[in-house]
Amino acid sequence: MGAHALEKAHGGRGVLLGGVAGVPPGKVAVLGGGIVGYNAALIAVGMQADVWVLDRSIDRMRELDPMLDGRATVAMSNTLQVEEAISEADLVIGAVLVHGARAPKLVTREMLGLMKPGSVLVDVAIDQGGCFETSRPTTHLEPTYEVDGIVHYCVANMPGAVPMTSTRALTNATLPYVEAIADRGLAGAVRSDRALARGVNVMAGRVTYEPVARDLGHPYIPLSEIVDGAPV
Amino acid sequence: MGAHALEKAHGGRGVLLGGVAGVPPGKVAVLGGGIVGYNAALIAVGMQADVWVLDRSIDRMRELDPMLDGRATVAMSNTLQVEEAISEADLVIGAVLVHGARAPKLVTREMLGLMKPGSVLVDVAIDQGGCFETSRPTTHLEPTYEVDGIVHYCVANMPGAVPMTSTRALTNATLPYVEAIADRGLAGAVRSDRALARGVNVMAGRVTYEPVARDLGHPYIPLSEIVDGAPV
Amino acid sequence: MGAHALEKAHGGRGVLLGGVAGVPPGKVAVLGGGIVGYNAALIAVGMQADVWVLDRSIDRMRELDPMLDGRATVAMSNTLQVEEAISEADLVIGAVLVHGARAPKLVTREMLGLMKPGSVLVDVAIDQGGCFETSRPTTHLEPTYEVDGIVHYCVANMPGAVPMTSTRALTNATLPYVEAIADRGLAGAVRSDRALARGVNVMAGRVTYEPVARDLGHPYIPLSEIVDGAPV
Amino acid sequence: MGAHALEKAHGGRGVLLGGVAGVPPGKVAVLGGGIVGYNAALIAVGMQADVWVLDRSIDRMRELDPMLDGRATVAMSNTLQVEEAISEADLVIGAVLVHGARAPKLVTREMLGLMKPGSVLVDVAIDQGGCFETSRPTTHLEPTYEVDGIVHYCVANMPGAVPMTSTRALTNATLPYVEAIADRGLAGAVRSDRALARGVNVMAGRVTYEPVARDLGHPYIPLSEIVDGAPV
Amino acid sequence: MGAHALEKAHGGRGVLLGGVAGVPPGKVAVLGGGIVGYNAALIAVGMQADVWVLDRSIDRMRELDPMLDGRATVAMSNTLQVEEAISEADLVIGAVLVHGARAPKLVTREMLGLMKPGSVLVDVAIDQGGCFETSRPTTHLEPTYEVDGIVHYCVANMPGAVPMTSTRALTNATLPYVEAIADRGLAGAVRSDRALARGVNVMAGRVTYEPVARDLGHPYIPLSEIVDGAPV
Amino acid sequence: MGAHALEKAHGGRGVLLGGVAGVPPGKVAVLGGGIVGYNAALIAVGMQADVWVLDRSIDRMRELDPMLDGRATVAMSNTLQVEEAISEADLVIGAVLVHGARAPKLVTREMLGLMKPGSVLVDVAIDQGGCFETSRPTTHLEPTYEVDGIVHYCVANMPGAVPMTSTRALTNATLPYVEAIADRGLAGAVRSDRALARGVNVMAGRVTYEPVARDLGHPYIPLSEIVDGAPV
C-alpha cells in the first residue's frame, strides 16, 4: 500500500521503492520490529528498498538480523533515531502495537517538518488509535489524506483489502477455539482453555480485560468473577 | 501495481501476494524473462509470492535461475505452458517486448476464460501495442478496466508513476549521448558513435529504423543515406 | 531416498525433483514442520524442488518461513489442505511425530486415489507406527512397495542407511548422559538430571512413561516410585 | 544418485551428505564447472554438503562464485588439486565433457588409492567414454560396481532415470529444429539455420563432424559438400 | 582483527581469508556458538572464508544452521573435534564465555603443536581470563605476540578499538537502567527491576554475585541482605 | 585492510563496519564495479556493512545486482553521486582500474573536505597511479598516512600482504602461458597464442603496448614488427 501511495498520481514523491539499475532505491523506515513490523520489513526488503527497522529490544534485534538475512539495518528505537530515520525515509511504516492498549505516539505533528515533501506514512496501528499524532482512520475507497505535505495512509481494518487471504488466516487462527466452544459451550471452553480465557475482552456485558477497561473508562470485572472456575 | 489491483476495493480477487503465516501466497506468472520480466519476477519473489517466469530461450533460463536464487520456477514459454500458468495465477505480468516492434499477443480473449475471476493482468508491453489481445492503454488516474471478470492494468508510460526515479534513470542512460551531441553536433555524434546511430528512429523527417517503418507503413531510409559517413 | 524412489527404474513417476532448465521442478509435500519436517523441507528446497510444508502451529510457521528463507510454502495443516497438497505432489514426506506415542494417520487409503500414479510416499514416522494408513515397515534392502499405484518407502530405522553419520550424531546426543551415569550411577544420574529422568521409559522392569504405557497396554509406574528422590 | 550410492546398504561409506546437527556434512568434489557440473554442485550445496568445484577457466570460476552464492569452494583444476579433492571427498562427480569428443581421464586407477574406502564416483561423462580410467557403462537396474573399494556409478543415459522430466527438456530444446525441418525439409533447414547445421554429425551416410570422425576413425566430409549452400 | 593478523607483515601465514578466484579460502574455526561466536562466524562467512563453529548444545546448533544460512559447518565441541578443527584452521577464534566466571581453557600449549605455523589465535574471552592456555592480555597498540610459531591476538577490551560503535551499543543497553536509577534511586531501581538486580555484582562494598565471589575469593552476600525488598 | 584502518588506534573513526545489535553498520563506498570493486563490495556486504557501488555502465550494474544478492546499492558513477557517496561513507574504496593505463582521479583534494574526519580511503588503483588525487604509494609496514583528517591506505602491491594466496592465484593464471613458452619458445608462443601476444608490454627492449608507451612517453612499436607472424 505504501509503495502505491508513493506514486505521483496518488500524491506521493514519485519514487520507485526498488529503484532501477543505476538509481538508488527508496528508503523505508519501519517503527517496531514485532510480527507486523518484521513482515513489513521483509516485503520492503524483497521489493529491493533500503530498509531500517527500529525496535526497543536488543534481543529482538538479534533475532531480526538473521530473519531478514542481514538485508535491513536494525537499530535501537529512541527519539533521536526515529527523527533520523523519518527524515531520510520515503516511506514510514508505524507498526508499534501494544496488546489490547492504545499505541504510543511515536511521530508528533512537529516531527513531520523533518520529512521530505510527498513522503508517505502508513499507520498499521490505526485500529489501536494509531502511532502517529496526525493519524485518523480512513477507508479502502479513500485511503489517504495529506498533512503538512506528508501523505497519510491510515485505513482501518487493513486486512479487509484482501479478504480472500485474511479470511483464511483468521479461520486458521480461530477454528480451534470455535471447535472448543462448539464442543464444550462458552463457559466450559473458557474454563478448560487458558489461552481462550485470556482472549476474552467482554463477557455477559462486562469488560473483562483490564487495559481495555482502563483505556475506555469502563469498570474492570475479572473473568473469574463471571465464569466459575475460569483461570485467574 | 499488480499487487494493488488485486485488492478487493479495486476490483481484484482480494489476495495478498505474500500470503500470511499459514495461508499460501498468491501466484504470479511473468511472461517474458528479459530485463523487464526479470525485475518483475524479482519484486514478486521479494513480496513472497509464488512466481513463474516463462521464456523462450534455454540460455536465458539458465541465467535466470541463479539471478532469482532459484526462488521462481522458470519454464519454457509455449501455448500449453502459458495456458497452465495463467489458469493458476492471481496476477499475470506481460513483459514480452520486441525491440522497436509490436509485441506478440500471448493471451487471447478466449484464454481469459481459463483465468480465475478477479485475477489481474498487467501489460508492461502496452507502449508497443500490448501482449494481451484485450489490452488497451489506460492512464495513471483511471488505471484499470475489466474484461470477462479479469482486471486489466495497461497504463501507458508506466514509469510516469514514479517520475523521481524514472527521470534519474533516463538521465543516467541518455546523458552520455547528450554530451556527445553537444560536443560534436548531431551528425558528428551519429558518425562517431555506432550505438547512438543504431538508436536513431527518425532523422530529417525520414524513418531510419526498418521495423518501425514496416509496422507503421512508412518508407524506410537507411541513416547512412541521410548522414554522410554514418555507420551502416 | 524419496528422490531416488521417484526414478522410473524404481517404480516412480520418473520425475527429477529439481527440474532442468525450462522444465518445472517436482512438487514435495512435507506433513509436519518439526525438526524432521524442517530438515526434509530444507533438503528438498536445496534440491530445487517446489516444496509445501504443512503444520498445525501458527508460531512454528512463523519460525519456519525465515528458516527456509521463504523458499517453501508453509501452510496450515487440515484435511482440506492435506488433500490439496498430496494431489499435486510427486513426493509426500510424512514427518508427524508425537513424542513417545503413535503417530496420527494423516493419509488414509482412500486418499491415495487423489494422488498421481507413480508418486512416492516416504513415512519418516514409521518407527512410531507410521502416519499413512497404508504404511508398513520395510528394510534398506527392499525399501519400497506399491499400494494403488503409489510407491511407499517406509524403512524402519532410516538412519541405519548412513551409520557413519548416525553413530556420530547419536554419540553427540548421548555422551553427556553416559558420562553422568558413569560418574554417579544410574539412580544417582536420574536424581540429579531432570532431562535424563524424563527420558526414562522403562526402569527395573516397569514402564515409567505414561503415553508408552497407555499405547502398549502396560501399567504405568512413575519413576519417582522406583528411584527415591527422582524428579516428579 | 551419488547420495543414494553412499548408503551402507548400497556399498557406500554410510555418510549422509547433509550431516545432521553437530555432525559435519559429507564432502563432494565436482570435477568440471560447466552446465552439468554447476547443476551437480548446486544440488549438492542444496543438500547441505561441503562442496568443491574444480575448473580450468578463471573466468568461469568468477561466474560460478555468485551463481553458487559463495557456498561452494571453486578452485583451479590441476593434478595436485584433483588429488587433494578426491582424497577428502565422500562423493566425486566427474562432469568434464568436451563437445563431441572423448572425455579426458582425470582420475587414474592409481589415484583411487588416495580415496577413502566406500566413497563414490559418479561419472556423468560416461556417454563420452567417461572421465575416470576405471569407468565402464552400467544400467539403471544394476547401476554400481566396485573397484579397489571405491563405488562406481556410471549409468549410461542417466537422464533415462527420470523420463518425465528428460522428455520435456528434450522437447523444449529440439522442437524449434523439428519445426524448421517440417517447414523447410532437411536440406532447407540446414541451409537456413547455422545452429542446426553445426549440430549435424552424420548426413547421407557420411560423418560431417570432424572430432567424431577423428575419434571413431571415419573419414570426415564437410556438410557443405553434401548439402549445397549449407554454412561452412 | 584476525584477518589482519594473518597478513605476512604482521607475522601471519599470509593467507587471504576469502581466497580469490581459483584459490581456496582460508579456514576459520570458531570455538563457541553464543552471541559472540555467532557474530564472528557470520563475519567470517561474509568474508567468504570456510568456517567451522563448535558448540556443546545441540539445540543451539539447530538454531545456528539457518541463522548462518547453512554456510558454516556447525559441529559438536569435544576434544577430538577441537583438535581436528585447529589443525586445519588458519584462524581460530576463542569465543567461549561463561557468564561472570573464568573461561575454560579449550586449547592447551601442547595443542599448539597441531597448528600450522603462522596461523592466528584470537581470544575474545581474554577479559574473562582467556580460553587458550597461552593467552595473556595485550593492547591495541601492540596487539599480538607469538608462541610456538602461532600468532596470538588477545587485546583486552576489544570493543575499545571501535569506540564510536561500542559507545552507542553500550548506551543502548544501559540507558533504560540509567533512567530507572535516575527516576527511583539506586535501591528503588534494584527493588523494582529484577533484571537490574541480577546484574549487580558489588553493592555497598560487598560482592553480591556468587560466581564472582567464588572465583575471586571474596565472601558472597546476597543482594537482598543489603537492599531491603530486593528480589531474591 | 580498510576495516582495520578504521580502528581508533590506527587513526580511524573507531567505527565497526558491521555494527552491532542496535547500532547501524558503517558505510562503504566502492568506486568502480569491475572485478576488484565487486570483490571489495562482496566482502564489505559480508561484513554486514551498508555498501554503495558506483559504476559507469548500466549493463554492469544489472549484472552486479544479482551477484551481490541485492544487498548493495548500485548507482551510476558521476561527480554528484561520488560526492554524495564519499560524504556519507566511513570507508571509500577506489577500485577504478583502466587496463594498462593511469587510473582517473575520481576524488580531488578539495573533495576530502566533504568527508567525515577519521574516515578511510583505500586506493586499490595505486599501482596504476591511484584514483584519489592525494594518494601516494605506501608499504605494508607503514601502510597509512593522513591528509586533511582523512586516513589514506595506499599500499603498493597489496596482494603482497597475503603471499600464500597471491602466489597460488598468480600461478593459476600464468602457468598455461609458462607451459606454452617452455614448449614453443618465446616467439613461437607469441605467434600461436593471441592472448599471450596481447599481454606483451615490452619485447626486445621496445614498448609494444600503445597505452603504456603513450603514458610513459616511449615510442610504440607493434609486436608484429618485432616477432614475425605475431597476431596484429
Side-chain angles (χ1 to χ4, degrees):
Chain A
M1 316 276 190
H4 193 252
L6 270 171
E7 291 175 30
K8 197 73 191 174
H10 300 105
R13 274 168 59 68
V15 166
L16 184 66
L17 273 194
V20 299
V23 180
K27 297 196 179 190
V28 176
V30 180
L31 309 182
I35 291 174
V36 168
Y38 161 65
N39 279 289
L42 182 67
I43 299 297
V45 159
M47 294 172 83
Q48 313 294 315
D50 186 357
V51 182
W52 278 58
V53 184
L54 301 190
D55 199 90
R56 299 186 67 91
S57 153
I58 292 184
D59 286 341
R60 181 59 178 168
M61 288 186 231
R62 288 208 175 103
E63 282 175 16
L64 284 172
D65 247 339
M67 286 169 74
L68 291 166
D69 247 347
R71 294 183 59 178
T73 298
V74 182
M76 178 58 70
S77 180
N78 53 43
T79 309
L80 206 72
Q81 204 81 85
V82 169
E83 286 182 0
E84 186 185 332
I86 66 173
S87 67
E88 289 190 2
D90 298 292
L91 171 59
V92 176
I93 295 174
V96 178
L97 286 91
V98 180
H99 271 291
R102 278 177 189 280
K105 301 293 178 202
L106 290 190
V107 178
T108 63
R109 171 146 195 181
E110 195 179 32
M111 286 159 78
L112 294 189
L114 299 169
M115 296 179 64
K116 292 181 280 192
S119 45
V120 173
L121 291 178
V122 171
D123 196 335
V124 185
I126 191 66
D127 295 329
Q128 266 94 27
C131 56
F132 307 126
E133 192 191 350
T134 45
S135 295
R136 54 177 173 74
T138 59
T139 64
H140 286 296
L141 287 175
E142 204 163 335
T144 62
Y145 60 93
E146 217 181 290
V147 178
D148 299 347
I150 307 303
V151 179
H152 288 58
Y153 180 100
C154 306
V155 171
N157 185 20
M158 280 188 207
V162 285
M164 203 93 148
T165 300
S166 309
T167 306
R168 291 184 66 175
L170 197 62
T171 308
N172 282 346
T174 54
L175 197 60
Y177 299 116
V178 172
E179 289 175 347
I181 295 172
D183 283 357
R184 281 163 282 171
L186 196 50
V190 159
R191 262 181 219 112
S192 61
D193 183 338
R194 177 176 296 270
L196 180 59
R198 288 178 56 190
V200 176
N201 276 242
V202 174
M203 192 154 188
R206 274 83 160 253
V207 180
T208 58
Y209 186 58
E210 197 166 16
V212 166
R214 189 179 51 237
D215 282 355
L216 301 183
H218 282 286
Y220 158 63
I221 312 292
L223 184 63
S224 57
E225 296 187 10
I226 301 174
V227 178
D228 225 53
V232 186
Chain B
M1 316 277 190
H4 192 255
L6 270 171
E7 290 175 31
K8 197 72 192 176
H10 301 105
R13 276 168 57 70
V15 166
L16 185 64
L17 274 194
V20 299
V23 180
K27 299 198 178 187
V28 176
V30 179
L31 309 183
I35 292 174
V36 167
Y38 161 65
N39 279 288
L42 183 68
I43 299 298
V45 159
M47 294 172 83
Q48 314 293 315
D50 187 356
V51 182
W52 278 58
V53 184
L54 301 191
D55 198 272
R56 300 185 66 92
S57 152
I58 292 184
D59 285 340
R60 181 61 178 169
M61 289 185 229
R62 289 205 175 106
E63 281 176 16
L64 284 170
D65 247 340
M67 287 170 73
L68 292 165
D69 249 347
R71 296 182 58 179
T73 298
V74 182
M76 177 59 70
S77 179
N78 53 43
T79 307
L80 205 71
Q81 204 82 82
V82 169
E83 287 182 358
E84 186 184 333
I86 66 173
S87 67
E88 290 190 4
D90 298 291
L91 171 59
V92 176
I93 295 174
V96 178
L97 286 92
V98 179
H99 272 291
R102 278 176 189 282
K105 303 292 177 202
L106 290 190
V107 177
T108 63
R109 173 148 195 178
E110 195 178 33
M111 286 158 77
L112 296 189
L114 300 168
M115 297 178 64
K116 293 182 280 192
S119 45
V120 172
L121 290 179
V122 171
D123 195 336
V124 186
I126 190 68
D127 295 330
Q128 266 93 26
C131 57
F132 307 128
E133 191 190 351
T134 45
S135 296
R136 54 177 171 75
T138 58
T139 66
H140 286 296
L141 288 176
E142 204 162 336
T144 61
Y145 60 94
E146 219 181 289
V147 178
D148 298 346
I150 306 303
V151 180
H152 289 58
Y153 180 100
C154 307
V155 171
N157 184 21
M158 280 189 204
V162 284
M164 204 91 148
T165 300
S166 309
T167 306
R168 289 185 68 175
L170 197 62
T171 307
N172 281 346
T174 55
L175 198 59
Y177 299 117
V178 171
E179 288 174 348
I181 294 173
D183 283 357
R184 281 164 281 173
L186 197 52
V190 158
R191 262 182 219 113
S192 61
D193 184 337
R194 176 176 298 269
L196 180 59
R198 288 177 56 190
V200 177
N201 276 241
V202 173
M203 194 156 185
R206 275 82 161 254
V207 180
T208 58
Y209 186 58
E210 195 167 15
V212 167
R214 189 178 53 235
D215 282 356
L216 301 183
H218 283 285
Y220 158 63
I221 313 291
L223 184 62
S224 57
E225 296 188 9
I226 301 174
V227 178
D228 223 54
V232 186
Chain C
M1 317 277 190
H4 193 254
L6 270 171
E7 290 174 33
K8 198 71 191 175
H10 301 104
R13 276 168 57 67
V15 166
L16 184 66
L17 273 194
V20 297
V23 180
K27 299 198 176 187
V28 176
V30 179
L31 309 182
I35 291 174
V36 168
Y38 161 65
N39 278 289
L42 183 68
I43 298 297
V45 159
M47 293 172 84
Q48 313 293 315
D50 186 357
V51 181
W52 278 59
V53 183
L54 302 190
D55 198 90
R56 299 186 65 93
S57 153
I58 291 184
D59 286 340
R60 181 60 179 168
M61 288 186 230
R62 289 205 175 106
E63 280 175 17
L64 284 172
D65 246 341
M67 286 170 75
L68 291 167
D69 248 347
R71 294 182 59 178
T73 298
V74 182
M76 177 59 71
S77 179
N78 53 43
T79 308
L80 205 71
Q81 205 81 85
V82 168
E83 288 183 357
E84 186 184 332
I86 65 173
S87 68
E88 290 190 4
D90 298 291
L91 171 59
V92 176
I93 295 173
V96 178
L97 287 90
V98 179
H99 272 290
R102 276 177 190 281
K105 303 291 178 204
L106 291 191
V107 177
T108 62
R109 171 148 196 178
E110 196 178 33
M111 286 159 78
L112 295 190
L114 299 168
M115 296 179 65
K116 292 182 281 192
S119 44
V120 172
L121 291 178
V122 172
D123 196 335
V124 186
I126 190 68
D127 293 330
Q128 265 94 26
C131 56
F132 308 127
E133 191 189 350
T134 45
S135 295
R136 52 178 174 75
T138 58
T139 64
H140 286 297
L141 287 177
E142 205 164 335
T144 62
Y145 59 94
E146 219 182 289
V147 178
D148 299 346
I150 307 301
V151 180
H152 288 59
Y153 180 101
C154 306
V155 171
N157 184 21
M158 280 190 206
V162 284
M164 202 93 148
T165 299
S166 309
T167 306
R168 291 185 66 175
L170 197 63
T171 308
N172 282 345
T174 53
L175 197 60
Y177 299 116
V178 171
E179 288 175 347
I181 294 172
D183 283 357
R184 282 165 281 174
L186 197 50
V190 158
R191 262 182 219 111
S192 62
D193 184 337
R194 177 176 296 270
L196 179 60
R198 289 177 56 191
V200 177
N201 276 242
V202 174
M203 193 154 186
R206 275 82 160 254
V207 180
T208 58
Y209 186 57
E210 195 168 16
V212 167
R214 189 179 50 238
D215 283 355
L216 302 183
H218 283 285
Y220 157 65
I221 312 293
L223 184 62
S224 55
E225 296 188 9
I226 301 172
V227 178
D228 223 52
V232 186
Chain D
M1 317 275 192
H4 192 254
L6 271 171
E7 290 175 31
K8 198 72 190 175
H10 301 105
R13 275 168 57 68
V15 165
L16 185 64
L17 273 194
V20 300
V23 180
K27 298 198 179 188
V28 177
V30 180
L31 309 182
I35 291 174
V36 168
Y38 160 66
N39 279 289
L42 183 68
I43 299 299
V45 159
M47 291 171 86
Q48 314 293 312
D50 187 356
V51 181
W52 277 57
V53 183
L54 301 190
D55 198 272
R56 298 186 67 93
S57 152
I58 292 185
D59 286 339
R60 181 59 178 169
M61 289 186 227
R62 288 206 175 105
E63 281 176 16
L64 284 171
D65 246 341
M67 287 169 75
L68 291 167
D69 249 348
R71 295 182 61 177
T73 297
V74 182
M76 176 60 69
S77 179
N78 53 43
T79 307
L80 204 72
Q81 204 81 84
V82 168
E83 287 183 358
E84 187 186 332
I86 66 172
S87 67
E88 292 190 0
D90 298 292
L91 171 59
V92 176
I93 295 174
V96 177
L97 287 91
V98 179
H99 272 290
R102 276 177 188 280
K105 301 293 177 201
L106 291 190
V107 178
T108 62
R109 172 146 195 180
E110 194 178 35
M111 287 159 77
L112 295 189
L114 301 168
M115 297 179 64
K116 294 183 278 192
S119 44
V120 172
L121 291 178
V122 171
D123 195 336
V124 186
I126 190 67
D127 295 330
Q128 266 94 27
C131 56
F132 308 127
E133 191 191 349
T134 45
S135 295
R136 55 176 173 75
T138 59
T139 65
H140 286 295
L141 288 176
E142 203 163 336
T144 61
Y145 61 94
E146 219 181 289
V147 178
D148 297 346
I150 308 302
V151 179
H152 289 58
Y153 180 101
C154 307
V155 171
N157 184 20
M158 281 190 204
V162 285
M164 203 92 148
T165 300
S166 310
T167 306
R168 289 185 68 176
L170 197 63
T171 307
N172 283 345
T174 53
L175 198 59
Y177 299 117
V178 172
E179 289 174 347
I181 294 172
D183 283 356
R184 281 164 282 172
L186 196 50
V190 160
R191 262 182 218 112
S192 61
D193 184 337
R194 176 175 299 268
L196 180 59
R198 289 177 57 191
V200 177
N201 276 242
V202 174
M203 192 155 185
R206 276 85 160 252
V207 179
T208 59
Y209 185 58
E210 196 167 15
V212 167
R214 190 177 52 237
D215 283 356
L216 302 183
H218 283 285
Y220 158 63
I221 313 292
L223 184 63
S224 57
E225 295 187 9
I226 301 173
V227 177
D228 223 53
V232 186
Chain E
M1 316 278 190
H4 192 253
L6 270 172
E7 290 175 32
K8 197 72 190 174
H10 301 104
R13 277 168 56 69
V15 165
L16 184 66
L17 274 193
V20 298
V23 180
K27 298 198 178 188
V28 176
V30 180
L31 309 182
I35 291 174
V36 168
Y38 161 65
N39 279 287
L42 183 68
I43 299 297
V45 159
M47 293 172 85
Q48 313 293 313
D50 186 356
V51 182
W52 277 58
V53 184
L54 301 190
D55 199 90
R56 298 185 67 91
S57 154
I58 291 184
D59 286 340
R60 181 59 179 169
M61 287 186 232
R62 287 205 176 107
E63 280 175 19
L64 285 171
D65 246 342
M67 287 170 75
L68 291 166
D69 247 347
R71 295 183 58 178
T73 298
V74 182
M76 177 58 72
S77 179
N78 53 44
T79 308
L80 205 72
Q81 204 81 85
V82 168
E83 287 183 357
E84 185 185 333
I86 66 172
S87 67
E88 289 190 4
D90 297 291
L91 172 59
V92 176
I93 295 173
V96 177
L97 287 91
V98 179
H99 272 289
R102 276 177 190 280
K105 303 292 178 203
L106 290 190
V107 177
T108 63
R109 171 146 195 180
E110 195 179 34
M111 287 158 78
L112 296 189
L114 300 168
M115 297 178 64
K116 293 181 280 192
S119 45
V120 173
L121 290 179
V122 172
D123 195 335
V124 186
I126 190 67
D127 294 330
Q128 266 95 28
C131 56
F132 308 127
E133 192 191 349
T134 46
S135 295
R136 55 176 172 77
T138 58
T139 64
H140 286 296
L141 288 176
E142 205 163 333
T144 61
Y145 60 93
E146 219 181 288
V147 178
D148 299 347
I150 307 302
V151 180
H152 288 58
Y153 180 102
C154 305
V155 172
N157 185 22
M158 279 189 206
V162 285
M164 202 93 148
T165 300
S166 309
T167 306
R168 292 185 67 175
L170 196 63
T171 308
N172 282 345
T174 55
L175 197 60
Y177 298 116
V178 172
E179 288 174 348
I181 295 172
D183 283 357
R184 279 164 284 172
L186 196 51
V190 159
R191 262 182 219 110
S192 62
D193 184 336
R194 175 176 298 270
L196 180 59
R198 289 178 55 191
V200 176
N201 276 242
V202 174
M203 193 155 186
R206 275 83 160 254
V207 180
T208 58
Y209 186 57
E210 195 166 18
V212 167
R214 190 179 51 236
D215 283 355
L216 302 182
H218 283 285
Y220 157 64
I221 312 293
L223 184 62
S224 57
E225 296 188 10
I226 301 173
V227 178
D228 223 55
V232 186
Chain F
M1 316 277 189
H4 192 253
L6 270 170
E7 290 176 31
K8 198 71 191 175
H10 301 104
R13 277 168 57 69
V15 165
L16 184 66
L17 273 194
V20 299
V23 180
K27 298 198 179 188
V28 177
V30 179
L31 309 183
I35 291 175
V36 168
Y38 161 66
N39 279 288
L42 182 68
I43 298 298
V45 159
M47 293 172 84
Q48 313 293 314
D50 187 356
V51 182
W52 277 58
V53 184
L54 301 191
D55 198 272
R56 299 185 66 92
S57 153
I58 292 184
D59 286 340
R60 181 60 178 167
M61 289 186 227
R62 288 205 175 106
E63 280 176 17
L64 284 171
D65 246 341
M67 286 170 75
L68 291 165
D69 247 346
R71 294 183 59 177
T73 298
V74 182
M76 176 59 70
S77 179
N78 52 42
T79 308
L80 205 71
Q81 204 81 85
V82 169
E83 287 183 358
E84 187 185 331
I86 66 173
S87 67
E88 291 190 2
D90 297 291
L91 172 59
V92 176
I93 295 174
V96 177
L97 286 92
V98 180
H99 271 290
R102 277 177 188 281
K105 302 292 177 200
L106 289 191
V107 177
T108 63
R109 173 150 194 177
E110 194 178 35
M111 286 158 77
L112 295 189
L114 300 168
M115 297 179 64
K116 293 183 279 192
S119 45
V120 173
L121 290 179
V122 172
D123 196 336
V124 187
I126 190 67
D127 294 330
Q128 268 93 28
C131 57
F132 308 128
E133 192 191 348
T134 45
S135 295
R136 55 178 172 75
T138 58
T139 65
H140 286 297
L141 288 175
E142 204 163 335
T144 61
Y145 60 94
E146 218 182 289
V147 178
D148 298 347
I150 306 303
V151 180
H152 288 59
Y153 180 100
C154 307
V155 172
N157 184 20
M158 280 189 206
V162 285
M164 203 93 148
T165 300
S166 309
T167 306
R168 290 185 67 176
L170 197 63
T171 307
N172 282 346
T174 54
L175 198 60
Y177 299 116
V178 171
E179 289 174 348
I181 294 172
D183 284 357
R184 281 164 280 173
L186 196 52
V190 159
R191 260 182 221 114
S192 62
D193 184 336
R194 175 177 299 269
L196 179 59
R198 288 177 56 191
V200 177
N201 276 241
V202 174
M203 193 154 187
R206 275 83 160 252
V207 179
T208 58
Y209 186 56
E210 194 166 18
V212 167
R214 190 177 52 236
D215 283 356
L216 301 182
H218 282 287
Y220 158 63
I221 312 292
L223 183 64
S224 57
E225 296 187 10
I226 300 172
V227 177
D228 224 55
V232 186

